Amino acid sequence: QVQLVESGGGLVQAGGSLRLSCAASGSTAIITEMGWYRQAPGKQRELVATITTIFTYADSVKGRFTISRDNAKNTWYLQMYRLEPEDTAVYYCHANVRYTNYWGQGTQVTVSS
């Protein structure tokens, strides 16, 4: 079992920055994939960025978002730069442990134009 708690969402103007954090607890030593997904109103949840043995980014965020982790704190981050109104969504922290997906509660990111 893994528990995930996100923080760091909010309202920002276009061109601004935000950093999301995901604190994991429980069986963190066996997490094989960690990352971020997002879901905008009326749309399906989509991958934003993940860490496995490689770093993967959605094309729409490449060059603007950076995923990173702090193993000592069992925390990973999503640093978002040059935010656009199209980035407005609920952002979910995600972890995969032995083919089981775990999700955080979600944090709202709203980018105003």
Side-chain angles (χ1 to χ4, degrees):
Q1 288 275 348
V2 172
Q3 295 78 43
L4 305 174
V5 178
E6 301 112 335
S7 60
L11 173 64
V12 64
Q13 288 188 329
S17 302
L18 280 175
R19 188 177 81 156
L20 306 182
S21 300
C22 178
S25 60
S27 302
T28 58
I30 53 176
I31 292 176
T32 53
E33 177 180 340
M34 58 191 71
W36 295 92
Y37 286 68
R38 67 186 181 187
Q39 187 165 18
K43 294 187 177 181
Q44 291 188 331
R45 192 172 297 189
E46 63 176 3
L47 180 149
V48 177
T50 63
I51 303 173
T52 55
T53 55
I54 60 173
F55 290 70
T56 300
Y57 294 91
D59 287 343
S60 60
V61 308
K62 283 181 181 177
R64 299 189 299 121
F65 291 9
T66 301
I67 187 171
S68 62
R69 64 185 172 188
D70 184 333
N71 291 332
K73 295 182 179 179
N74 291 320
T75 299
W76 52 96
Y77 306 93
L78 185 68
Q79 179 67 57
M80 304 183 290
Y81 297 104
R82 303 197 310 276
L83 282 159
E84 304 169 352
E86 293 74 22
D87 296 316
T88 295
V90 177
Y91 284 69
Y92 295 93
C93 177
H94 168 259
N96 186 281
V97 176
R98 292 176 178 164
Y99 307 107
T100 298
N101 290 312
Y102 294 90
W103 299 94
Q105 80 282 4
T107 185
Q108 177 70 46
V109 172
T110 302
V111 184
S112 63
S113 57

